Amino acid sequence: MNHPTIAILDFGSQYLQLIARRVRENQVHSLVFAPDVSPDELKKHNVIGLILSGGPASTYTSDAQRPDPAVLEMGLPTLGICYGMQVACERFGSRVEAAARREYGRARLEVVSDDGFVKHLPAETNVWMSHGDFVSGLGNEFEVLGKTANCPNAIVRHKTRPLVGVQFHPEVSHTPEGGQLLRNFLYEICGAEGSWNPGSIVDSLTADIRNRVKPDDNIICGLSGGVDSAVTAALLHKAVPGQVRCIFVDNGLLRANEREKVRAVFEGHFKLDLRVVDAEARFLDKLAGVTDPQEKRIRIGHEFVEVFKAEAKNVPNAKFLAQGTLYPDVIESGHSAAGKAANIKLHHNVGGLPTELGFELIEPLRDLFKDEVRVIGELLGLPEEMVWRHPFPGPGLAVRIIGDVTKPRCDLLRLVGIVRSRRRLVCCCRLPAWA
């Protein structure tokens, strides 16, 4: 997809994904990049503006991360948030130093300008602060748009460049006018057109799929019963009807009655080619004696690949393997454009596919967040109970079991799920030794 994009440079903000989602909620595409991303890389993604995220570092330390100076000279509209504001202001002559005391919580902001960036904001409002440093001296290149009692330079704007900065966090709900500030940046400064919406996303994705998949190619789509794989299957079916072969692997780690529900939707409603593989014994054998959650994920991921390879032999002209990978999966696995991001957890469907797979990988949802996927699922006609069901981990019950994974333990957790669905209080923090 080549939608006009806001590039978010990741300096380690705890609110990183929230920033990206807030931009998209305003119908503008966003992507996360490494803090030292090059101008050439940004040009590949049709970037119309930059957001420099917050982060835990101090700009005056030797190991502080900074953007490539050439990026700030591209003339792109730029919004610095917290640390992002400090590093941008410092680049253009301002002074950053440690505050007399750290500030965490609500502060009262006074708007002191009628600049377009603060348009439609009340004269006073609450903002959410979380910082230990601040811009203490602006120099001659910036002007103040807003201030608080402890932060005289809470909102600033460069006098000649399309650069604005906020010391607080507009992306969090504790800054009630933060959404308006972001809209002002996106539409008043970046000139966004608001083209990122469910209809345009579906159109772009189906066009991409049709361009890539030839009429004689078949796509193998792994269905798990979750939202992501369900929407992936429905989207592929819309793009290339008759060329999608869905494989549902009953690995023994699923929720209660999962197989029946998947069949009802995809065989009964969409009339898709659905092939069910009973692989419970195979997966439980691979997990025998394994207690480490990461190792469980790795083994489950590898076994899925082997199952698909075996089943694919029965599908003629199977060229593609489709997965319901989402953007948070990619970010958390350290595989996004922000390649230096910490590997929060290993996602079994990201980066673990062996080179001998034999298929080309197709991941149409790879740039989407879960809430976007749900809306698209509704647009594609998936049942509401499937689109809005509670998320379920890809490795299934295996990562909800502390210790060894066995059939009795999986059956017990499935029973717990049924009881919970009847709104009874059940505690299953740790399975009993006899399970």
Side-chain angles (χ1 to χ4, degrees):
M1 293 184 290
N2 198 34
H3 288 263
T5 297
I6 298 297
I8 302 167
L9 275 57
D10 176 18
F11 291 99
S13 171
Q14 60 183 320
Y15 305 129
L16 177 67
Q17 291 191 32
L18 183 57
I19 298 172
R21 290 181 60 185
R22 290 290 183 257
V23 173
R24 295 190 183 193
E25 287 170 3
N26 284 289
Q27 298 192 338
V28 182
H29 186 229
S30 62
L31 287 175
V32 174
F33 292 87
D36 58 353
V37 62
S38 69
D40 289 341
E41 182 64 25
L42 293 178
K43 291 174 183 176
K44 296 177 184 177
H45 295 274
N46 195 14
V47 172
I48 62 170
L50 301 174
I51 295 180
L52 312 182
S53 83
S58 296
T59 62
Y60 44 79
T61 60
S62 59
D63 59 347
Q65 291 183 318
R66 292 177 172 82
D68 184 335
V71 167
L72 296 180
E73 297 295 339
M74 292 175 68
L76 290 170
T78 302
L79 167 61
I81 297 176
C82 198
Y83 176 85
M85 168 188 169
Q86 295 165 13
V87 77
C89 287
E90 185 182 67
R91 167 65 184 165
F92 296 109
S94 300
R95 184 175 67 255
V96 178
E97 60 185 52
R101 59 186 178 89
R102 299 183 63 87
E103 191 172 18
Y104 184 82
R106 287 187 176 88
R108 194 67 177 167
L109 174 75
E110 178 186 355
V111 177
V112 297
S113 171
D114 60 356
D115 183 87
F117 180 54
V118 292
K119 187 166 67 173
H120 306 307
L121 264 64
E124 290 191 5
T125 184
N126 289 330
V127 296
W128 187 259
M129 292 286 192
S130 178
H131 65 103
D133 301 328
F134 76 117
V135 179
S136 58
L138 282 180
N140 298 321
E141 297 194 40
F142 290 89
E143 59 181 331
V144 177
L145 307 183
K147 62 182 181 179
T148 69
N150 294 316
C151 187
N153 303 318
I155 307 178
V156 301
R157 180 164 192 161
H158 196 280
K159 293 179 180 178
T160 60
R161 298 173 182 268
L163 168 63
V164 291
V166 294
Q167 185 56 67
F168 52 89
H169 289 272
E171 68 273 23
V172 302
S173 59
H174 297 309
T175 301
E177 298 295 333
Q180 183 62 57
L181 268 178
L182 288 174
R183 283 189 293 276
N184 290 344
F185 173 68
L186 297 173
Y187 289 95
E188 298 293 328
I189 302 179
C190 297
E193 298 178 353
S195 61
W196 183 254
N197 55 68
S200 69
I201 295 171
V202 170
D203 290 343
S204 295
L205 291 175
T206 53
D208 288 346
I209 294 167
R210 288 168 184 156
N211 287 335
R212 186 176 177 190
V213 179
K214 302 298 185 289
D216 293 334
D217 295 335
N218 281 324
I219 306 172
I220 295 177
C221 179
L223 270 179
S224 68
V227 178
D228 309 333
S229 65
V231 174
T232 298
L235 184 63
L236 292 169
H237 179 61
K238 176 180 175 64
V240 286
Q243 296 177 244
V244 184
R245 308 289 179 259
C246 293
I247 296 177
F248 177 80
V249 179
D250 187 349
N251 57 10
L253 309 172
L254 305 173
R255 288 174 282 198
N257 305 317
E258 197 70 32
R259 183 192 294 196
E260 293 77 10
K261 293 176 181 177
V262 169
R263 270 190 160 148
V265 172
F266 290 96
E267 280 186 341
H269 179 68
F270 284 100
K271 309 299 182 186
L272 280 171
D273 180 354
L274 177 62
R275 306 170 184 215
V276 177
V277 181
D278 189 349
E280 179 181 46
R282 183 170 174 171
F283 276 83
L284 290 179
D285 180 64
K286 289 291 183 181
L287 292 170
V290 179
T291 59
D292 179 67
Q294 291 287 64
E295 181 62 24
K296 291 177 183 178
R297 289 177 179 272
I298 291 171
R299 293 197 180 198
I300 292 169
H302 287 173
E303 196 61 22
F304 262 113
V305 172
E306 295 305 315
V307 169
F308 278 122
K309 288 172 66 176
E311 189 65 23
K313 295 178 181 178
N314 301 318
V315 180
N317 300 321
K319 184 176 181 180
F320 297 94
L321 173 63
Q323 292 188 154
T325 307
L326 301 189
Y327 197 39
D329 301 339
V330 177
I331 294 174
E332 291 171 3
S333 297
H335 287 78
S336 71
K340 294 184 179 179
N343 187 333
I344 297 174
K345 66 175 180 178
L346 177 66
H347 289 266
H348 77 284
N349 58 336
V350 179
L353 295 171
T355 55
E356 68 272 15
L357 181 64
F359 304 112
E360 291 183 33
L361 190 60
I362 186 167
E363 298 172 310
L365 310 182
R366 188 180 176 89
D367 283 340
L368 303 180
F369 286 97
K370 177 75 80 173
D371 49 351
E372 295 172 317
V373 170
R374 292 188 193 276
V375 174
I376 289 172
E378 287 186 324
L379 191 64
L380 293 171
L382 285 170
E384 182 178 347
E385 60 270 20
M386 176 170 282
V387 171
W388 293 100
R389 71 189 311 188
H390 194 278
F392 191 64
L397 300 177
V399 292
R400 291 186 174 179
I401 292 175
I402 299 175
D404 197 13
V405 179
T406 65
K407 180 173 173 52
R409 290 184 169 193
C410 291
D411 289 341
L412 179 59
L413 277 183
R414 276 188 280 270
L415 178 61
V416 168
I418 294 173
V419 174
R420 277 180 170 172
S421 69
R422 294 172 181 171
R423 301 183 183 280
R424 296 179 185 174
L425 180 62
V426 175
C427 176
C428 64
C429 295
R430 183 180 293 274
L431 292 167
W434 52 263

